[in-house]
Amino acid sequence: MRKQETKNVITELETYLESFSEFEKRAAGRNLPWLRSLREDAFARFCQVGFPTTHDEDWRFTNVSAIARTPFRLARNGFARVSQKELGPWRVAGVACQLVFVNGRFSRELSSMGNLPVGMKVNGLGKEIAGNPTEIEPHLGRYVDTQRDAFCALNTAFTEDGAYVHIRKGAVVEGPIYLLFISSAENSPSMSHPRNLIVAEEDSQAIIVEDYVSLDPGPAFCNTVTELVAGDRAVVAHYMIEREHREAFNISTLRIEQGRSASVTSHSVLLGGGLVRNNVHPVLMGEGGECLINGLFVGNGRQHLDNYMLVEHASPRCDSRQFYNGILDGNAHGVFHGRIIVHKDAQKTDAKQTNRNLLLSDEAQIDTKPQLEIYADDVKCTHGATIGQIEEDALFYLRSRGIDEVSARKLLLFAFATECLDRMKQGLVRKHIEGLINHSLFQVANTRAEARANSRKDEGRSWEEMG
Amino acid sequence: MSLLEIKNLYVEVDNHEILKGIDLRVNAGEMHSIMGPNGSGKSTLAQVLARRESYNVTRGEVSYDGKDLLAMKPEEAACEGIFMAFQYPVEIPGISNAYFLRSALNAIRRHRGLDEVDAMDFLPMFREKLKLLDMDEKLMNRSVNEDFSGGEKKRNEILQMAVLEPKLAILDETDSGLDIDALRIVAKGVNSMRSPERAIVVVTHYQRLLNYIVPDFVHVLVNGRIVRSGGPELALELEEKGYGSMEAGARQPAPA
Ligand SMILES: Nc1ncnc2c1ncn2[C@@H]1O[C@H](COP(=O)(O)OP(=O)(O)O)[C@@H](O)[C@H]1O
Ligand SMILES: [Mg+2]
């Protein structure tokens, strides 16, 4: 392994400069002055800040030098390489619509727009930037931190396409709005920067799913940003599913801006990816808002799954709940960093954070870190973290009733994961996710039993072979 | 051939010799009681028979139904008809009691070449057994043993036995900590399971249970050895004289 850079230099600056100047010449909305300066400022900021190192407190447990030293180039739109048939396994029946993005670009042809209910609009962000910029301008780039966050700056610099979802005042959209992000490999390392904007106006309701998948192996870097604006009393459920292949780098930021009495739930389910960083950053701007942040990460092999929560209470009487469960096997490394900032005026804040982890092998690792910054005096903040193993007593109890070892392990893992599933509302999305988790845990249970049977000879390799 | 035949069994836990040469024969249709003071090795014997892997058998043989029990995994023993009611039933958050019991039943049914029971048919099939043990159906939707009272946990063990219909049941201090009403219910459950095809071994610390469940044979286990074996009257003698009198007592052969 190469030594970690201690300074935030961008070793591949040349490549980024080239990519950016090419991008600027042809990108949608290049004639819009506000967008141009948004991109340019962000790019300049990215060049100044550079990729974070482990000396950076927010990145202490996650080394991104593998991203920093790879000369990624913007992925071309890979529509031609993706056929409807290939999409078969990724289709989800019963959703309101399924928008398909290949390497970050919206494909109308591959998408199924269904019968969209009145009061909502979904489209590729690029198309809206071109055709409807006045609707986009008030929101795009207003919420994420491009000053200090290199990945958000980089995404903003290359902002061109992604999903635009607009739910009008009072509209209730019952079916899930499903956004499928496919990365399709190219011959050289490629990057994409999907940018999503979700605006749920006052009193509206919606369910959004972001699903990240890979079509084929190959080094790919997906750096995605979603800005979610929940107006007063809006009720929004957001799901993020990461199930890319093991060579994928996935950095995602969900920035939520919540109005008065708005209720937002964020569910993250990380099952795939090689190096994954999942940032969830709600700001409770309006009084009486509530936010539930729920997550499950399941890692094995050499996966690195980092969850960075930043919950900002900026108004009085808001509730936030963070629950993250991690299951780690093989040489996997998990991180849970739960930061809560209670601003001066946010009296009567009620913030809670729980992170529970199961480590299934001696080599698996978890770093869990609460970080509370409280500037108000009348608040309730609690946090807790546990790290444990599958209990041998429970395993024996199940087996002594006739349940075989793999099934018993799977049952216990599933019981642990169920805590997260139970926080999702009953319905299509939960069922879909339950299936994915089930599949993933079966693999884990199976390999674990095998590893035990093989009396611990070279566990690491058998994990990789599982794929 | 006996259903269970233990010959000269030595068992270590964490390099600590706990069972020191156990001999025991149990035939189908019989009810045996193993009594002994705390720490004498009763649970160790029960767990070994249920095939707990951390218990290390250093010497001896156990044949069950003509097969080598010590070669079986816990789930294999269970599928072959061994059931051990835990002295301390385990709480498993996140798995419902109904799901657990149905999974266990189906695992055993598959092994026996029977069709699986689906969720729809499951509860109705066992209403009667729930009633026999005076158990609320609602307990079935709760997580396995989680927040169950001591009595509920013990009854849950007996319920599992009633549903899984083992050939050999070993009940490890199922009576401990039960009030007299709960004890009667548990005893009723156990008695209802008596049959010519089934053997039951009741491990107990105290003879009270034996007022309700009358064993054919009583064995006294002290310090890892069976020091006396006899009929039901042995329990009464114990009650009167205590275990102290037994330790020095001549070892009598287990009944065939
Ligand atoms: N894990 C262990 N390591 C060492 N000694 C143990 C362990 N478990 C039980 N023992 C000892 O083994 C003996 C028998 O225990 P047990 O079978 O539970 O007795 P009983 O059920 O008759 O009360 C006791 O002395 C107990 O302290
Ligand atoms: Mg005991």
Side-chain angles (χ1 to χ4, degrees):
Chain A
M1 200 198 256
R2 214 182 282 186
K3 250 186 83 187
Q4 165 82 15
E5 301 284 350
T6 52
K7 277 192 306 194
N8 302 354
V9 290
I10 302 171
T11 44
E12 295 301 328
L13 188 62
E14 279 302 305
T15 323
Y16 284 102
L17 283 170
E18 244 172 66
S19 293
F20 188 67
S21 76
E22 269 171 43
F23 171 78
E24 268 211 306
K25 277 184 218 129
R26 54 142 192 87
R30 62 185 172 277
N31 300 323
L32 299 165
W34 63 269
L35 185 54
R36 215 185 158 86
S37 64
L38 184 72
R39 286 170 177 155
E40 284 173 357
D41 292 350
F43 188 70
R45 206 50 210 159
F46 165 70
C47 295
Q48 280 165 14
V49 176
F51 286 109
T53 70
T54 51
H55 295 268
D56 185 330
E57 193 52 35
D58 291 344
W59 292 87
R60 224 174 92 196
F61 307 113
T62 297
N63 185 339
V64 294
S65 62
I67 295 177
R69 65 168 183 258
T70 307
F72 290 108
R73 290 187 180 275
L74 277 183
R76 279 183 299 273
N77 101 37
F79 299 171
R81 310 188 43 212
V82 182
S83 65
Q84 286 282 1
K85 212 175 125 206
E86 276 178 289
L87 279 181
W90 314 109
R91 293 277 184 212
V92 180
V95 295
C97 57
Q98 191 176 35
L99 274 68
V100 176
F101 302 83
V102 182
N103 295 335
R105 285 168 173 275
F106 174 57
S107 164
R108 172 116 219 167
E109 293 65 40
L110 296 172
S111 300
S112 54
M113 304 301 271
N115 284 323
L116 291 181
V118 285
M120 74 167 283
K121 170 153 95 178
V122 288
N123 202 355
L125 183 71
K127 289 198 183 350
E128 290 293 307
I129 285 173
N132 203 5
T134 51
E135 209 175 299
I136 304 300
E137 187 186 351
H139 295 296
L140 190 70
R142 302 285 158 170
Y143 310 103
V144 287
D145 177 6
T146 53
Q147 286 304 300
R148 276 167 307 169
D149 186 323
F151 290 101
C152 286
L154 186 61
N155 174 288
T156 303
F158 288 102
T159 286
E160 187 182 20
D161 209 353
Y164 175 60
V165 179
H166 185 187
I167 317 290
R168 281 197 210 297
K169 195 170 161 175
V172 175
V173 181
E174 292 190 42
I177 299 162
Y178 204 102
L179 312 175
L180 179 68
F181 297 88
I182 298 173
S183 65
S184 165
E186 312 204 341
N187 294 329
S188 57
S190 66
M191 63 177 176
S192 59
H193 303 278
R195 179 67 170 236
N196 307 309
L197 176 61
I198 300 163
V199 180
E201 291 184 0
E202 291 163 42
D203 299 297
S204 67
Q205 300 192 8
I207 302 164
I208 321 277
V209 185
E210 294 181 29
D211 186 6
Y212 293 84
V213 307
S214 325
L215 214 51
D216 28 37
F221 167 33
C222 178
N223 174 36
T224 177
V225 169
T226 298
E227 289 175 295
L228 193 171
V229 187
D232 294 351
R233 296 170 305 279
V235 180
V236 182
H238 180 273
Y239 295 82
M240 133 73 155
I241 306 167
E242 161 60 11
R243 43 178 175 146
E244 290 174 289
H245 62 64
R246 300 303 174 83
E247 279 176 82
F249 300 97
N250 186 296
I251 311 281
S252 69
T253 299
L254 171 63
R255 170 69 174 81
I256 305 166
E257 183 86 349
Q258 283 191 231
R260 200 184 169 86
S261 298
S263 168
V264 177
T265 55
S266 151
H267 307 279
S268 304
V269 179
L270 313 183
L271 306 172
L275 173 69
V276 178
R277 164 81 162 210
N278 167 37
N279 299 299
V280 180
H281 179 185
V283 181
L284 294 140
M285 285 299 295
E287 199 170 324
E290 56 180 36
C291 188
L292 166 69
I293 302 174
N294 175 39
L296 173 72
F297 50 103
V298 180
N300 59 33
R302 309 204 155 268
Q303 279 181 290
H304 183 101
L305 307 173
D306 177 354
N307 301 279
Y308 185 94
M309 307 294 118
L310 170 53
V311 179
E312 279 189 68
H313 283 260
S315 263
R317 292 174 208 286
C318 293
D319 288 0
S320 67
R321 296 282 176 272
Q322 300 174 52
F323 298 103
Y324 260 71
N325 280 17
I327 298 174
L328 299 164
D329 202 347
N331 294 283
H333 185 177
V335 181
F336 177 81
H337 188 144
R339 193 171 163 201
I340 301 173
I341 302 178
V342 181
H343 292 282
K344 197 163 94 264
D345 298 327
Q347 300 296 359
K348 306 266 180 225
T349 284
D350 186 348
K352 192 178 170 191
Q353 179 190 102
T354 309
N355 170 226
R356 308 214 313 126
N357 303 288
L358 278 184
L359 297 186
L360 305 182
S361 74
D362 294 339
E363 294 77 23
Q365 188 186 341
I366 178 78
D367 287 294
T368 177
K369 182 185 171 190
Q371 188 181 347
L372 310 183
E373 294 157 52
I374 300 170
Y375 304 102
D377 43 35
D378 183 11
V379 302
K380 211 163 92 190
C381 275
T382 59
H383 66 87
T386 60
I387 301 170
Q389 283 123 21
I390 281 202
E391 271 186 58
E392 286 302 317
D393 282 350
L395 193 62
F396 176 61
Y397 192 67
L398 294 175
R399 294 178 71 190
S400 78
R401 298 300 181 245
I403 299 169
D404 66 88
E405 186 182 349
V406 172
S407 305
R409 282 183 185 281
K410 201 194 109 187
L411 261 177
L412 292 171
L413 292 177
F414 199 75
F416 185 73
T418 295
E419 295 175 8
C420 295
L421 271 175
D422 282 346
R423 291 186 199 103
M424 299 174 188
K425 241 176 104 173
Q426 285 286 359
L428 188 72
V429 180
R430 175 166 155 177
K431 261 218 143 63
H432 174 59
I433 290 175
E434 185 172 337
L436 300 178
I437 292 175
N438 228 326
H439 178 76
S440 174
L441 294 183
F442 181 73
Q443 289 199 335
V444 171
N446 210 10
T447 16
R448 184 87 322 240
E450 262 170 35
R452 267 168 58 102
N454 293 341
S455 65
R456 310 192 175 274
K457 62 168 188 231
D458 200 0
E459 281 176 15
R461 220 187 51 220
S462 67
W463 282 112
E464 294 298 339
E465 284 163 5
M466 277 304 294
Chain B
M1 185 188 60
S2 299
L3 181 62
L4 178 73
E5 194 164 339
I6 304 177
K7 280 190 201 152
N8 199 29
L9 184 70
Y10 282 74
V11 174
E12 281 181 5
V13 183
D14 293 340
N15 295 321
H16 207 84
E17 191 163 78
I18 293 172
L19 298 184
K20 303 163 186 170
I22 300 274
D23 290 287
L24 183 67
R25 279 161 165 264
V26 176
N27 295 307
E30 293 175 353
M31 168 91 79
H32 290 239
S33 171
I34 297 178
M35 302 184 70
N38 275 333
S40 57
K42 303 184 297 295
S43 293
T44 304
L45 179 59
Q47 303 257 338
V48 167
L49 297 178
R51 299 306 307 121
R52 185 158 203 149
E53 287 154 340
S54 53
Y55 287 66
N56 185 17
V57 175
T58 52
R59 237 198 291 174
E61 289 167 30
V62 181
S63 88
Y64 163 74
D65 214 4
K67 298 177 191 110
D68 178 8
L69 180 64
L70 299 179
M72 294 185 197
K73 295 181 193 170
E75 56 266 39
E76 289 166 349
C79 287
E80 291 288 332
I82 288 188
F83 178 93
M84 193 264 292
F86 284 59
Q87 182 176 1
Y88 304 108
V90 181
E91 297 188 12
I92 309 181
I95 300 177
S96 83
N97 215 18
Y99 187 83
F100 162 57
L101 197 43
R102 188 161 62 83
S103 302
L105 178 67
N106 281 336
I108 291 172
R109 287 178 69 96
R110 272 197 304 276
H111 184 83
R112 294 180 186 162
L114 300 170
D115 285 341
E116 295 190 21
V117 179
D118 67 22
M120 293 290 282
D121 293 336
F122 179 71
L123 261 187
M125 268 174 81
F126 300 115
R127 289 237 161 82
E128 214 176 299
K129 286 167 181 167
L130 281 162
K131 225 170 108 190
L132 173 73
L133 291 158
D134 198 23
M135 280 175 77
D136 191 338
E137 220 175 283
K138 287 197 194 101
L139 281 180
M140 300 304 285
N141 292 323
R142 302 220 325 242
S143 289
V144 177
N145 292 325
E146 195 183 34
D147 300 324
F148 282 31
S149 69
E152 282 170 339
K153 284 181 184 167
K154 300 289 176 126
R155 272 181 279 168
N156 201 26
E157 294 293 291
I158 302 303
L159 175 76
Q160 290 170 25
M161 171 175 75
V163 169
L164 301 179
E165 300 182 324
K167 273 195 250 177
L168 171 64
I170 303 136
L171 312 182
D172 189 2
E173 292 206 31
T174 303
D175 54 329
S176 292
L178 294 185
D179 65 27
I180 195 71
D181 293 329
L183 187 71
R184 283 197 193 102
I185 292 168
V186 163
K188 191 169 68 169
V190 174
N191 284 327
S192 76
M193 293 294 291
R194 288 190 85 152
S195 99
E197 291 83 43
R198 180 175 293 128
I200 303 178
V201 177
V202 179
V203 173
T204 181
H205 177 66
Y206 195 63
Q207 69 82 40
R208 182 181 290 136
L209 178 69
L210 305 185
N211 294 336
Y212 300 93
I213 298 175
V214 183
D216 304 305
F217 304 98
V218 174
H219 312 275
V220 182
L221 183 66
V222 178
N223 195 18
R225 292 190 180 91
I226 291 178
V227 294
R228 285 273 299 273
S229 292
E233 70 289 343
L234 186 54
L236 296 172
E237 190 188 327
L238 268 178
E239 166 90 333
E240 227 170 274
K241 299 186 187 160
Y243 291 113
S245 66
M246 301 285 166
E247 278 166 72
R251 191 151 173 259
Q252 296 182 3

